[in-house]
Amino acid sequence: MKLEHFALNVDDPVAMAAWYVDNLGMQVVRQMQEAPYTTFLADDSGRIMLEIYRNPANEVPDYRHMNPLLVHLAYVSERPGEDKNRLMKAGAGFETEMQLEDGSHLVMLRDPWGLALQLCKRGVPMLLKEEVTGR
């Protein structure tokens, strides 16, 4: 079995989807034009999706006040420092930055809605090249 998507109930899925497309290279796969505005966003490999929606049947978690280690989306980044600066100019907030002994560079940010985003440049890649690039 392989992971297809991870779903999140969020305050503003339409604006959030646009920000993820514009700033994180995500692509809209499917989007509802009415409530709950369910949107499926695929990463650039086309193999993993994020589903975001606003479903009032349950509360939207307070992502902004959650510890980033509770839930975060992690993106592979070849230039985490540059991506950090670019995303902060687009409205992301800074949390932490770490350089690990294995050569990994990890940056934790929050998107404009408070969801934690991690930029990962691993000293030793954790995924096979074919899985990361889709080739």
Side-chain angles (χ1 to χ4, degrees):
M1 297 184 75
K2 37 185 159 174
L3 184 64
E4 182 196 69
H5 75 273
F6 183 78
L8 296 166
N9 197 12
V10 301
D11 277 323
D12 191 348
V14 175
M16 189 176 191
W19 193 87
Y20 276 56
V21 167
D22 291 345
N23 297 289
L24 292 169
M26 304 291 283
Q27 300 170 13
V28 174
V29 174
R30 183 180 303 158
Q31 187 171 44
M32 293 176 62
Q33 300 302 313
E34 63 278 334
Y37 304 103
T38 302
T39 302
F40 286 88
L41 298 166
D43 70 350
D44 66 2
S45 75
R47 294 181 177 199
I48 297 176
M49 291 185 294
L50 174 63
E51 177 187 8
I52 55 176
Y53 50 85
R54 175 65 179 105
N55 192 333
N58 205 337
E59 66 187 64
V60 172
D62 187 4
Y63 298 112
R64 191 169 310 283
H65 293 101
M66 288 180 171
N67 186 311
L69 299 180
L70 180 60
V71 64
H72 63 267
L73 299 177
Y75 286 83
V76 173
S77 170
E78 290 301 316
R79 295 173 298 284
E82 290 176 28
D83 286 335
K84 171 188 75 173
N85 293 334
R86 179 180 57 78
L87 291 169
M88 288 178 66
K89 286 179 185 172
F94 178 76
E95 285 287 319
T96 62
E97 187 164 358
M98 296 186 301
Q99 301 273 348
L100 305 181
E101 289 183 19
D102 71 354
S104 295
H105 183 183
L106 306 175
V107 176
M108 191 70 76
L109 303 170
R110 289 195 185 268
D111 72 13
W113 299 270
L115 182 63
L117 302 174
Q118 187 177 57
L119 307 177
C120 305
K121 181 174 184 181
R122 300 285 180 188
V124 177
M126 294 178 66
L127 295 173
L128 299 174
K129 184 176 182 179
E130 294 77 23
E131 292 175 337
V132 173
T133 63
R135 294 180 206 163

